[in-house]
Amino acid sequence: MATALQHLSTYDASSFIDISEKRFGLVVAEWNTEITDVLSAGAYDTLLKHGARAENIFRNSVPGSFELTLGAQLLAQHEEMDAVICLGVVIKGETKHDDYICHAVAQGLTNVGLKYNKPVIFGLVTTNTLEQAQDRAGGKHGNKGVEAAVAAIQMLGF
Ligand code: DLZ
């Protein structure tokens, strides 16, 4: 319901820490690339906008959202990686695949973040339709990639 009421990609950057020396991993699912490319660009541009250096942003693709967890772990295990941002889209179909994928990714990313004690951000767009996903990837509900990058920056300042 909340997303029906507000644009979620507005935020207050006044409390952001200096991220010019921080290293970010981006893990991006290749399913629904017309959406995930927009999420990825939103996250990337947001990191740059707030001071990250391009050479400190490491973008990696994984086949689908289910693989976000392993992708996140492979990046998070590097000591020099400060935060990992995971981006994917799961659109509900005729079967329960979306439930299995979303629960596995939510639990998996939680575990990776706790294991390595660093922000591992859940940027998974989960919708009933492609249109709802487009609304959240540069449409009327903002860009979840931007929000994921903001969450990473905020957690680095925690
Ligand atoms: C198999 C599958 C299906 C049905 N739907 C999606 C989806 O909506 N979004 C997504 O990112 N990935 C999907 N996948 C692929 C799985 O995430 C995974 O890549 C495969 O099951 C291989 O492990």
Side-chain angles (χ1 to χ4, degrees):
M1 270 300 125
T3 51
L5 302 175
Q6 57 184 326
H7 185 299
L8 297 174
S9 296
T10 52
Y11 53 88
D12 175 15
S14 62
S15 61
F16 284 3
I17 61 161
D18 176 5
I19 58 167
S20 58
E21 298 302 323
K22 300 292 186 189
R23 289 186 168 83
F24 295 88
L26 281 183
V27 189
V28 185
E30 287 180 333
W31 266 68
N32 305 307
T33 46
E34 75 276 20
I35 303 290
T36 58
D37 283 348
V38 179
L39 300 178
S40 174
Y44 186 84
D45 291 348
T46 301
L47 294 174
L48 290 183
K49 179 176 167 185
H50 294 294
R53 289 192 280 133
E55 62 267 31
N56 286 341
I57 303 173
F58 303 89
R59 187 192 191 281
N60 290 270
S61 296
V62 291
S65 292
F66 186 77
E67 284 73 38
L68 289 171
T69 301
L70 180 58
Q73 175 156 296
L74 292 171
L75 292 178
Q77 70 183 351
H78 294 289
E79 219 169 275
E80 64 275 15
M81 194 62 72
D82 294 295
V84 181
I85 298 166
C86 301
L87 303 169
V89 178
V90 177
I91 299 172
K92 204 166 183 52
E94 290 180 351
T95 67
K96 294 206 294 186
H97 77 273
D98 57 304
D99 269 355
Y100 292 114
I101 295 173
C102 294
H103 283 116
V105 176
Q107 191 59 59
L109 296 186
T110 302
N111 293 344
V112 176
L114 295 177
K115 179 174 177 185
Y116 291 102
N117 231 12
K118 51 183 78 167
V120 174
I121 305 299
F122 180 85
L124 188 62
V125 173
T126 61
T127 61
N128 292 319
T129 66
L130 177 62
E131 187 185 356
Q132 290 172 341
Q134 289 165 337
D135 289 344
R136 290 157 179 79
K140 68 182 178 190
H141 292 308
N143 185 331
K144 288 285 171 193
V146 172
E147 293 171 38
V150 168
I153 298 169
Q154 288 175 327
M155 286 309 293
L156 288 172
F158 184 80

